[in-house]
Amino acid sequence: MPEGQFCHYGRTELRQVDHPELHEHDFHEVFWIDSGSGWEHVPDGRREVHAGMVTLVHARNQHAFGVDRGASCGMCNLAFPVAVWDQLRRRCFPTADPFEQPDARVTVLEAGALRDLQDAATDIAAGARGMAAIERFLLNLMHLLERARARPSSEVPAWLHDAVGRLGEPEHLLAGTQALVAMCARSPEHVAREVRRCYGRTPTDLVNEARMAYAARRLSESRDAILDICYACGYSNLGHFYRLFRSAHGASPHQYRESHRRIIQPSA
């Protein structure tokens, strides 16, 4: 790599290979599949790779890739010197090295987390190759992988987890439970049952939580009128908005905003 660059990024469509030859490296890699499915060939056989799968590749690992005839598989790949990871690991992950742990090698991300990963790689994909860019990406990556591994995959269906994660997006706050049902692409009754089973709450509870989180951000980050924030959250009754906000945050919207401003700019 040229001086001052600390990583290499690329995206490719895997091709069919009749006799894959394993290769090894003198650098670490991270690759993730963003579409389709294919195969990673390793010394003891091969394993399927598919959309959402993220793999940490140690410099010692050998592998090759391919797809079945007529299949397609899109793969993003990030390579970086071992020394770059070692510096970051000593500071941030001193007790365990995910690149050295076989059980941490492969993680499957749900759709929302995969989008977060793609977003984390935006600067690098656009040409950033400095130390700050690669360290920022790796820290975000480790956070996403840890969060994915901490959630029992069988507890919450992927379609529900993804929809709940998107509830806080402004365009979905107004529609509330209707937006949740639409994103789930299931019947309202089925969505309600799964929300109750997985979260122990109702769809309305989840919508109100997302709205209150959004309201708190708007109050602390903007000078928007409280009434405007109330409407943006999907409420037409200001008193109802106040009651929900106080229940969620222990203060009225006005008190919450003033408290945040005192933290940012203490009064004389």
Side-chain angles (χ1 to χ4, degrees):
M1 292 180 291
E3 185 176 356
Q5 295 190 12
F6 296 92
C7 61
H8 171 80
Y9 172 85
R11 185 190 182 281
T12 188
E13 292 287 334
L14 298 182
R15 58 187 178 87
Q16 182 183 351
V17 180
D18 294 330
H19 303 288
E21 295 185 6
L22 303 184
H23 63 270
E24 57 186 9
H25 330 85
D26 59 0
F27 50 84
H28 285 346
E29 280 184 288
V30 176
F31 74 84
W32 62 95
I33 307 301
D34 62 13
S35 63
S37 63
W39 298 97
E40 182 192 21
H41 300 268
V42 293
D44 58 353
R46 69 175 189 172
R47 66 180 181 88
E48 183 182 14
V49 293
H50 54 80
M53 184 175 288
V54 182
T55 302
L56 307 180
V57 184
H58 194 282
R60 295 191 301 267
N61 296 148
Q62 294 182 321
H63 64 175
F65 298 98
V67 296
D68 293 331
R69 186 180 301 276
S72 64
C73 184
M75 183 180 77
C76 300
N77 177 274
L78 184 72
F80 46 92
V82 175
V84 168
W85 169 250
D86 284 344
Q87 291 177 32
L88 183 64
R89 179 186 57 79
R90 284 193 292 269
R91 299 199 312 272
C92 302
F93 310 99
T95 60
D97 184 350
F99 282 87
E100 297 278 1
Q101 299 174 296
D103 60 345
R105 182 173 188 261
V106 179
T107 305
V108 178
L109 300 182
E110 295 173 346
L114 181 61
R115 285 195 300 271
D116 290 341
L117 177 61
Q118 301 281 44
D119 289 344
T122 297
D123 289 347
I124 290 177
R129 300 290 187 270
M131 183 66 79
I134 182 61
E135 287 201 350
R136 182 167 59 246
F137 172 82
L138 289 172
L139 286 171
N140 281 317
L141 171 68
M142 294 303 155
H143 171 68
L144 288 170
L145 298 184
E146 181 181 9
R147 189 171 64 183
R149 287 192 290 264
R151 188 188 64 79
S153 59
S154 60
E155 181 180 348
V156 183
W159 55 266
L160 179 57
H161 183 267
D162 185 38
V164 171
R166 297 177 60 195
L167 262 181
E169 298 172 2
E171 61 268 28
H172 297 138
L173 292 174
L174 287 173
T177 55
Q178 292 180 353
L180 177 62
V181 170
M183 288 187 289
C184 290
R186 269 75 173 176
S187 70
E189 295 78 15
H190 184 57
V191 171
R193 285 195 300 270
E194 286 298 284
V195 167
R196 175 67 71 180
R197 180 182 69 84
C198 297
Y199 296 98
R201 301 193 290 283
T202 68
T204 299
D205 292 334
L206 296 185
V207 169
N208 285 335
E209 289 172 11
R211 286 171 168 173
M212 292 303 101
Y214 176 79
R217 291 196 302 272
R218 287 278 296 270
L219 287 165
S220 62
E221 296 173 358
S222 77
R223 294 183 177 273
D224 296 340
I226 292 176
L227 183 60
D228 291 339
I229 296 174
C230 170
Y231 290 153
C233 288
Y235 301 110
S236 58
N237 185 312
L238 187 60
H240 182 55
F241 171 73
Y242 263 72
R243 287 192 294 274
L244 289 173
F245 192 92
R246 183 180 291 278
S247 177
H249 298 289
S252 72
H254 177 75
Q255 291 168 336
Y256 186 91
R257 169 169 276 172
E258 289 302 308
S259 175
H260 180 80
R261 286 178 177 173
R262 285 197 298 272
I263 293 171
I264 299 297
Q265 186 175 352
S267 57

Short mmCIF file of all heavy atoms in Angstrom, two decimals, residues 28-32 40 47 53-59 61 63 80 85 97-102 104-107 137-138 141-142 145 149:
data_model
loop_
_atom_site.label_atom_id
_atom_site.label_comp_id
_atom_site.label_asym_id
_atom_site.label_seq_id
_atom_site.Cartn_x
_atom_site.Cartn_y
_atom_site.Cartn_z
N HIS A 28 -4.46 -9.19 7.97
CA HIS A 28 -5.80 -9.60 8.40
C HIS A 28 -6.82 -9.14 7.37
O HIS A 28 -6.59 -8.18 6.62
CB HIS A 28 -6.16 -8.98 9.75
CG HIS A 28 -5.48 -9.62 10.92
ND1 HIS A 28 -4.84 -10.84 10.85
CD2 HIS A 28 -5.37 -9.22 12.23
CE1 HIS A 28 -4.35 -11.16 12.04
NE2 HIS A 28 -4.66 -10.19 12.89
N GLU A 29 -7.97 -9.81 7.37
CA GLU A 29 -9.07 -9.45 6.48
C GLU A 29 -10.39 -9.49 7.24
O GLU A 29 -10.54 -10.24 8.22
CB GLU A 29 -9.20 -10.45 5.33
CG GLU A 29 -8.25 -10.29 4.18
CD GLU A 29 -8.60 -11.29 3.08
OE1 GLU A 29 -8.34 -12.49 3.28
OE2 GLU A 29 -9.16 -10.86 2.06
N VAL A 30 -11.32 -8.71 6.77
CA VAL A 30 -12.73 -8.84 7.14
C VAL A 30 -13.51 -8.88 5.84
O VAL A 30 -13.29 -8.03 4.97
CB VAL A 30 -13.22 -7.65 7.99
CG1 VAL A 30 -14.72 -7.79 8.28
CG2 VAL A 30 -12.44 -7.55 9.29
N PHE A 31 -14.37 -9.87 5.67
CA PHE A 31 -15.23 -9.84 4.49
C PHE A 31 -16.67 -10.08 4.92
O PHE A 31 -16.94 -10.74 5.93
CB PHE A 31 -14.78 -10.84 3.42
CG PHE A 31 -15.07 -12.28 3.71
CD1 PHE A 31 -16.32 -12.85 3.42
CD2 PHE A 31 -14.08 -13.12 4.23
CE1 PHE A 31 -16.58 -14.18 3.66
CE2 PHE A 31 -14.33 -14.45 4.47
CZ PHE A 31 -15.58 -14.99 4.18
N TRP A 32 -17.57 -9.48 4.18
CA TRP A 32 -18.99 -9.69 4.44
C TRP A 32 -19.73 -9.82 3.12
O TRP A 32 -19.34 -9.26 2.10
CB TRP A 32 -19.59 -8.60 5.32
CG TRP A 32 -19.56 -7.21 4.78
CD1 TRP A 32 -20.55 -6.56 4.10
CD2 TRP A 32 -18.49 -6.25 4.88
NE1 TRP A 32 -20.18 -5.28 3.78
CE2 TRP A 32 -18.92 -5.07 4.25
CE3 TRP A 32 -17.22 -6.30 5.46
CZ2 TRP A 32 -18.13 -3.92 4.18
CZ3 TRP A 32 -16.42 -5.17 5.38
CH2 TRP A 32 -16.87 -4.01 4.75
N GLU A 40 -17.08 -20.44 0.77
CA GLU A 40 -15.70 -20.19 1.18
C GLU A 40 -15.03 -21.55 1.34
O GLU A 40 -15.48 -22.39 2.13
CB GLU A 40 -15.62 -19.42 2.50
CG GLU A 40 -14.17 -19.11 2.88
CD GLU A 40 -14.01 -18.60 4.31
OE1 GLU A 40 -14.92 -18.84 5.14
OE2 GLU A 40 -12.97 -17.98 4.59
N ARG A 47 -17.66 -24.07 3.28
CA ARG A 47 -18.87 -23.69 4.00
C ARG A 47 -19.60 -22.64 3.19
O ARG A 47 -18.99 -21.83 2.48
CB ARG A 47 -18.55 -23.16 5.40
CG ARG A 47 -17.78 -21.85 5.39
CD ARG A 47 -17.50 -21.38 6.82
NE ARG A 47 -16.78 -20.11 6.80
CZ ARG A 47 -17.36 -18.91 6.77
NH1 ARG A 47 -18.68 -18.84 6.73
NH2 ARG A 47 -16.66 -17.80 6.76
N MET A 53 -23.57 -12.42 6.36
CA MET A 53 -22.50 -13.13 7.05
C MET A 53 -21.22 -12.29 7.03
O MET A 53 -20.78 -11.82 5.98
CB MET A 53 -22.27 -14.49 6.40
CG MET A 53 -21.23 -15.35 7.10
SD MET A 53 -21.11 -16.99 6.34
CE MET A 53 -22.65 -17.72 6.91
N VAL A 54 -20.61 -12.12 8.21
CA VAL A 54 -19.36 -11.38 8.37
C VAL A 54 -18.31 -12.35 8.89
O VAL A 54 -18.57 -13.10 9.84
CB VAL A 54 -19.51 -10.21 9.35
CG1 VAL A 54 -18.20 -9.43 9.45
CG2 VAL A 54 -20.65 -9.30 8.92
N THR A 55 -17.12 -12.34 8.29
CA THR A 55 -16.07 -13.27 8.67
C THR A 55 -14.77 -12.53 8.95
O THR A 55 -14.35 -11.68 8.16
CB THR A 55 -15.82 -14.31 7.57
OG1 THR A 55 -17.04 -15.02 7.30
CG2 THR A 55 -14.76 -15.31 7.98
N LEU A 56 -14.16 -12.84 10.10
CA LEU A 56 -12.84 -12.32 10.44
C LEU A 56 -11.80 -13.33 9.97
O LEU A 56 -11.88 -14.52 10.29
CB LEU A 56 -12.71 -12.13 11.95
CG LEU A 56 -13.80 -11.28 12.64
CD1 LEU A 56 -13.52 -11.19 14.14
CD2 LEU A 56 -13.88 -9.90 12.03
N VAL A 57 -10.82 -12.87 9.21
CA VAL A 57 -9.81 -13.76 8.63
C VAL A 57 -8.45 -13.38 9.18
O VAL A 57 -7.93 -12.29 8.90
CB VAL A 57 -9.81 -13.66 7.08
CG1 VAL A 57 -8.81 -14.66 6.50
CG2 VAL A 57 -11.21 -13.91 6.53
N HIS A 58 -7.86 -14.29 9.96
CA HIS A 58 -6.52 -14.08 10.50
C HIS A 58 -5.49 -14.25 9.39
O HIS A 58 -5.73 -14.97 8.40
CB HIS A 58 -6.26 -15.10 11.62
CG HIS A 58 -5.07 -14.79 12.46
ND1 HIS A 58 -3.78 -15.05 12.05
CD2 HIS A 58 -4.97 -14.23 13.71
CE1 HIS A 58 -2.93 -14.67 12.99
NE2 HIS A 58 -3.63 -14.17 14.01
N ALA A 59 -4.35 -13.61 9.54
CA ALA A 59 -3.30 -13.72 8.53
C ALA A 59 -2.89 -15.17 8.27
O ALA A 59 -2.45 -15.51 7.17
CB ALA A 59 -2.09 -12.89 8.96
N ASN A 61 -4.93 -17.79 8.28
CA ASN A 61 -6.01 -18.57 7.67
C ASN A 61 -5.82 -18.71 6.16
O ASN A 61 -5.38 -17.78 5.49
CB ASN A 61 -7.37 -17.90 7.93
CG ASN A 61 -7.74 -17.86 9.40
OD1 ASN A 61 -8.41 -16.94 9.85
ND2 ASN A 61 -7.31 -18.85 10.18
N HIS A 63 -7.85 -19.74 2.54
CA HIS A 63 -9.19 -19.90 2.00
C HIS A 63 -9.20 -19.52 0.52
O HIS A 63 -8.22 -19.03 -0.04
CB HIS A 63 -10.21 -19.06 2.78
CG HIS A 63 -9.99 -17.58 2.71
ND1 HIS A 63 -10.85 -16.66 3.27
CD2 HIS A 63 -9.00 -16.83 2.14
CE1 HIS A 63 -10.42 -15.43 3.05
NE2 HIS A 63 -9.30 -15.50 2.36
N PHE A 80 -6.00 -5.24 6.03
CA PHE A 80 -5.20 -4.25 6.76
C PHE A 80 -4.04 -4.97 7.45
O PHE A 80 -4.12 -6.17 7.76
CB PHE A 80 -6.05 -3.51 7.78
CG PHE A 80 -6.93 -4.40 8.61
CD1 PHE A 80 -6.52 -4.91 9.83
CD2 PHE A 80 -8.19 -4.77 8.13
CE1 PHE A 80 -7.33 -5.75 10.57
CE2 PHE A 80 -9.01 -5.60 8.87
CZ PHE A 80 -8.58 -6.09 10.09
N TRP A 85 -4.10 -3.81 13.56
CA TRP A 85 -5.02 -4.43 14.50
C TRP A 85 -4.38 -4.60 15.87
O TRP A 85 -5.02 -4.37 16.89
CB TRP A 85 -5.49 -5.78 13.98
CG TRP A 85 -6.23 -6.57 15.02
CD1 TRP A 85 -5.82 -7.70 15.65
CD2 TRP A 85 -7.51 -6.24 15.60
NE1 TRP A 85 -6.75 -8.12 16.57
CE2 TRP A 85 -7.79 -7.25 16.56
CE3 TRP A 85 -8.42 -5.22 15.39
CZ2 TRP A 85 -8.97 -7.23 17.30
CZ3 TRP A 85 -9.60 -5.21 16.14
CH2 TRP A 85 -9.85 -6.21 17.08
N ASP A 97 -8.71 -11.58 21.70
CA ASP A 97 -8.51 -11.18 20.31
C ASP A 97 -9.50 -11.95 19.44
O ASP A 97 -9.35 -13.16 19.24
CB ASP A 97 -7.08 -11.51 19.87
CG ASP A 97 -6.79 -11.02 18.46
OD1 ASP A 97 -7.72 -10.62 17.75
OD2 ASP A 97 -5.60 -11.05 18.06
N PRO A 98 -10.54 -11.29 18.91
CA PRO A 98 -11.54 -12.00 18.09
C PRO A 98 -10.93 -12.71 16.89
O PRO A 98 -11.46 -13.73 16.45
CB PRO A 98 -12.49 -10.88 17.65
CG PRO A 98 -12.33 -9.80 18.66
CD PRO A 98 -10.89 -9.87 19.08
N PHE A 99 -9.84 -12.20 16.36
CA PHE A 99 -9.21 -12.85 15.21
C PHE A 99 -8.54 -14.17 15.60
O PHE A 99 -8.22 -14.98 14.73
CB PHE A 99 -8.17 -11.91 14.57
CG PHE A 99 -8.78 -10.85 13.71
CD1 PHE A 99 -9.19 -9.65 14.26
CD2 PHE A 99 -8.96 -11.05 12.34
CE1 PHE A 99 -9.76 -8.66 13.47
CE2 PHE A 99 -9.54 -10.08 11.55
CZ PHE A 99 -9.95 -8.87 12.11
N GLU A 100 -8.31 -14.38 16.91
CA GLU A 100 -7.70 -15.61 17.39
C GLU A 100 -8.72 -16.61 17.91
O GLU A 100 -8.35 -17.72 18.28
CB GLU A 100 -6.70 -15.29 18.51
CG GLU A 100 -5.51 -14.42 18.10
CD GLU A 100 -4.41 -15.24 17.45
OE1 GLU A 100 -4.58 -16.47 17.30
OE2 GLU A 100 -3.39 -14.64 17.09
N GLN A 101 -10.00 -16.24 17.95
CA GLN A 101 -11.03 -17.09 18.54
C GLN A 101 -11.87 -17.73 17.44
O GLN A 101 -12.62 -17.03 16.75
CB GLN A 101 -11.92 -16.27 19.47
CG GLN A 101 -11.18 -15.65 20.65
CD GLN A 101 -12.07 -14.74 21.46
OE1 GLN A 101 -12.55 -13.72 20.96
NE2 GLN A 101 -12.31 -15.11 22.71
N PRO A 102 -11.79 -19.05 17.28
CA PRO A 102 -12.57 -19.71 16.22
C PRO A 102 -14.07 -19.46 16.32
O PRO A 102 -14.75 -19.32 15.31
CB PRO A 102 -12.24 -21.19 16.42
CG PRO A 102 -10.90 -21.20 17.09
CD PRO A 102 -10.91 -20.00 17.98
N ALA A 104 -15.53 -16.85 17.24
CA ALA A 104 -15.88 -15.47 16.90
C ALA A 104 -15.60 -15.17 15.43
O ALA A 104 -15.81 -14.05 14.98
CB ALA A 104 -15.08 -14.50 17.78
N ARG A 105 -15.16 -16.18 14.69
CA ARG A 105 -14.75 -15.93 13.31
C ARG A 105 -15.91 -15.52 12.42
O ARG A 105 -15.78 -14.63 11.57
CB ARG A 105 -14.09 -17.19 12.73
CG ARG A 105 -13.57 -17.01 11.30
CD ARG A 105 -12.77 -18.22 10.83
NE ARG A 105 -12.15 -17.95 9.55
CZ ARG A 105 -12.65 -18.33 8.37
NH1 ARG A 105 -13.79 -19.02 8.34
NH2 ARG A 105 -12.03 -18.04 7.25
N VAL A 106 -17.08 -16.15 12.61
CA VAL A 106 -18.22 -15.90 11.73
C VAL A 106 -19.40 -15.40 12.55
O VAL A 106 -19.74 -15.98 13.59
CB VAL A 106 -18.62 -17.20 10.97
CG1 VAL A 106 -19.85 -16.92 10.08
CG2 VAL A 106 -17.47 -17.71 10.15
N THR A 107 -20.02 -14.33 12.09
CA THR A 107 -21.22 -13.77 12.71
C THR A 107 -22.20 -13.42 11.61
O THR A 107 -21.81 -12.89 10.57
CB THR A 107 -20.89 -12.49 13.51
OG1 THR A 107 -19.85 -12.78 14.46
CG2 THR A 107 -22.12 -11.99 14.25
N PHE A 137 -13.55 2.20 11.60
CA PHE A 137 -14.34 1.09 11.05
C PHE A 137 -14.24 -0.14 11.95
O PHE A 137 -15.26 -0.78 12.25
CB PHE A 137 -13.86 0.72 9.65
CG PHE A 137 -14.50 -0.53 9.13
CD1 PHE A 137 -15.77 -0.49 8.56
CD2 PHE A 137 -13.87 -1.76 9.26
CE1 PHE A 137 -16.38 -1.65 8.12
CE2 PHE A 137 -14.48 -2.92 8.81
CZ PHE A 137 -15.73 -2.87 8.23
N LEU A 138 -13.04 -0.50 12.39
CA LEU A 138 -12.87 -1.70 13.19
C LEU A 138 -13.60 -1.59 14.53
O LEU A 138 -14.17 -2.57 15.02
CB LEU A 138 -11.39 -1.99 13.41
CG LEU A 138 -10.63 -2.46 12.16
CD1 LEU A 138 -9.13 -2.52 12.44
CD2 LEU A 138 -11.14 -3.82 11.70
N LEU A 141 -17.18 -2.09 13.76
CA LEU A 141 -17.39 -3.51 13.42
C LEU A 141 -17.47 -4.36 14.68
O LEU A 141 -18.38 -5.19 14.83
CB LEU A 141 -16.25 -3.99 12.53
CG LEU A 141 -16.20 -5.50 12.28
CD1 LEU A 141 -17.37 -5.95 11.43
CD2 LEU A 141 -14.88 -5.91 11.63
N MET A 142 -16.53 -4.20 15.60
CA MET A 142 -16.52 -5.01 16.81
C MET A 142 -17.77 -4.76 17.64
O MET A 142 -18.31 -5.69 18.26
CB MET A 142 -15.25 -4.73 17.63
CG MET A 142 -13.99 -5.17 16.94
SD MET A 142 -14.04 -6.95 16.52
CE MET A 142 -12.90 -7.01 15.15
N LEU A 145 -20.62 -6.68 15.90
CA LEU A 145 -20.50 -8.13 16.08
C LEU A 145 -20.85 -8.53 17.51
O LEU A 145 -21.53 -9.54 17.74
CB LEU A 145 -19.09 -8.59 15.73
CG LEU A 145 -18.64 -8.36 14.28
CD1 LEU A 145 -17.25 -8.96 14.05
CD2 LEU A 145 -19.64 -8.94 13.28
N ARG A 149 -23.94 -11.01 18.56
CA ARG A 149 -23.72 -12.27 19.28
C ARG A 149 -24.43 -12.29 20.62
O ARG A 149 -24.77 -13.36 21.14
CB ARG A 149 -22.22 -12.50 19.47
CG ARG A 149 -21.48 -12.89 18.21
CD ARG A 149 -20.09 -13.39 18.51
NE ARG A 149 -19.22 -12.32 18.96
CZ ARG A 149 -18.38 -11.65 18.18
NH1 ARG A 149 -18.30 -11.94 16.89
NH2 ARG A 149 -17.60 -10.71 18.67
#
